[in-house]
Amino acid sequence: MFLRPNLYTSYEEETQMLPTYTKKVLAGIAIIVLFLIPFDVPLITASTDLPVLRNIPVISNGIPPLRFLGDSSWLRAMDEALMFAIAALGLNILTGMAGQVSLGHAFFMGVGAYTGAVLGGVATSSVWGWSLPIWIWLPGAGIGAAIVGIIVSPVAVKLRGLYLAIVTLGLVFIGIHMSNTNWGKKLAGDPGLGRDFPTYDIRLWKEETPLVSIDDDGTWFGFLDVTDNQKTYLFLAVLFLLFIVLAKNIARTRTGRALQAIRDRDIAAEVMGVPEFKYKLIAFATSSFFAGVAGALFASFAGKLPASQFSLALSVEFIAILLIGGVGTVSGTVMGTFFVVLTPKFVESFTEWLADKTEGDGIGAKVADVVISNGSDQGPVSAATQTPGYPLNVFDWNLVLYGALIIVFLIFEPLGLYGIWIRIRNYWKRWPFSY
């Protein structure tokens, strides 16, 4: 009710996707900003000519966090975050909603990637490919992964917790090994280089000229020039919103409530008439579908990558996303994804900025001398791309950062970033009586 948050007069009101006016407004603003990021919009992502506003330092050149996200290099990081968010939402359904711990999410992404590659890729003498359009190969990638998830799901009825995690971890190694077999190479290509994946171009069938070209620059509506990077971002943003709506709706349905009942106490749920086998099968199939679609998008975005990319490290990254963002919530999963994916880029850019400062004078140069190593001093961060040991490069420090954040959040804030957001929100709701 208006000005009465958390006061609901019916079950339908309480189970709305956005139950309060504040959430509706914030969601609307977030969607608008999401689609404006790649463009130069005065006051949001670019400078303004308005006399009053251009004299305000903070916003005269656009909102700082949004201003640089539209740059080409950052836009690629945002693309990756949007794809990973789809996969993370799938893992949240399985782990956060149904309580099934899985370390095999990268395996299901790989299954989706190579299902999409066979359906939409071009056949050569070394790999299979049917050159089907994206409206077939992208859902087909999810369905292929979901079928494999259904095959795996009976194991979840027999195993729980750590044992299930170890079994699903085995899927990752089986997948990488199978890609090196003779028929596996027909799917995945050369073990070292991989194979070419289909593009995002939208075709009705197999015509030469696509109906909507995503991979080329173009002009929309006769006046709006868009680059291929901007088109890719917008395409992924639409899919991202679609899967958020899907994930939110699953949590509100009979299936979502059954999964949560199994998560909280599976024996009690079965006693009350919730069939455990059926709903664990649905959880694995749904989670794998999300992972398969995300894997196909990720592979097509990369263009070419080997099967070893879908490794244990990728699965651990998704576990980090759930733990840091807040397992069991869609909002926390999205926050965790953007945090985990964009943080390495922030660290990399900050390191490059510090490396540039070492050549100057002042306090910034002194701080940079302490932090950045040039090979002969004891600075903890090396600006080199590869280092044999200490000091660590940016990539290695990001791995250390993941581990440290997981430990910190598990000890001090098990609800992750979502829990921090709830604390801040409740503080301001009670203000000035926030004691």
Side-chain angles (χ1 to χ4, degrees), residues 70-329:
D71 294 343
S72 181
S73 61
W74 279 95
L75 212 53
R76 289 186 66 83
M78 287 290 290
D79 291 341
E80 189 174 332
L82 295 174
M83 291 181 285
F84 276 35
I86 295 173
L89 288 170
L91 184 61
N92 184 57
I93 291 171
L94 181 64
T95 302
M97 202 179 297
Q100 305 301 299
V101 181
S102 172
L103 288 174
H105 212 54
F107 167 76
F108 294 109
M109 286 184 71
V111 171
Y114 292 111
T115 303
V118 171
L119 292 175
V122 178
T124 66
S125 58
S126 57
V127 295
W128 293 326
W130 296 345
S131 301
L132 296 173
I134 190 171
W135 59 270
I136 293 179
W137 68 255
L138 188 56
I143 293 171
I147 292 172
V148 176
I150 291 172
I151 295 171
V152 172
S153 63
V155 177
V157 180
K158 299 289 184 183
L159 301 174
R160 292 182 178 85
L162 181 62
Y163 297 102
L164 178 60
I166 293 174
V167 168
T168 53
L169 172 61
L171 294 175
V172 176
F173 297 108
I174 291 173
I176 294 175
H177 173 72
M178 297 300 283
S179 69
N180 294 326
T181 60
N182 288 333
W183 64 268
K185 291 176 183 175
K186 286 289 186 181
L187 296 171
D190 183 83
L193 300 174
R195 62 168 294 170
D196 291 327
F197 291 90
T199 65
Y200 294 154
D201 287 342
I202 300 173
R203 290 179 169 83
L204 291 178
W205 190 237
K206 297 183 181 181
E207 63 273 14
E208 187 68 25
T209 305
L211 184 66
V212 179
S213 174
I214 304 294
D215 288 343
D216 296 317
D217 298 347
T219 303
W220 286 355
F221 312 114
F223 68 93
L224 184 61
D225 294 329
V226 286
T227 65
D228 57 338
N229 280 345
Q230 292 169 329
K231 287 182 180 178
T232 300
Y233 171 83
L234 295 175
F235 174 72
L236 294 173
V238 171
L239 290 177
F240 166 70
L241 290 178
L242 182 66
F243 276 89
I244 281 185
V245 172
L246 187 56
K248 288 284 286 185
N249 273 303
I250 288 174
R252 300 190 308 145
T253 61
R254 181 189 185 93
T255 299
R257 291 190 291 273
L259 295 179
Q260 292 168 60
I262 292 172
R263 174 197 63 192
D264 295 339
R265 188 68 68 182
D266 52 353
I267 296 176
E270 193 146 20
V271 169
M272 289 188 295
V274 178
E276 183 184 6
F277 179 83
K278 172 187 171 182
Y279 283 105
K280 283 187 175 178
L281 184 148
I282 292 174
F284 264 95
T286 308
S287 171
S288 303
F289 180 84
F290 277 60
V293 170
L297 291 171
F298 178 59
S300 296
F301 181 75
K304 192 170 190 173
L305 79 172
S308 57
Q309 287 289 318
F310 300 99
S311 62
L312 174 61
L314 186 60
S315 288
V316 172
E317 190 168 344
F318 284 107
I319 295 295
I321 285 172
L322 291 193
L323 293 178
I324 292 173
V327 64
T329 62

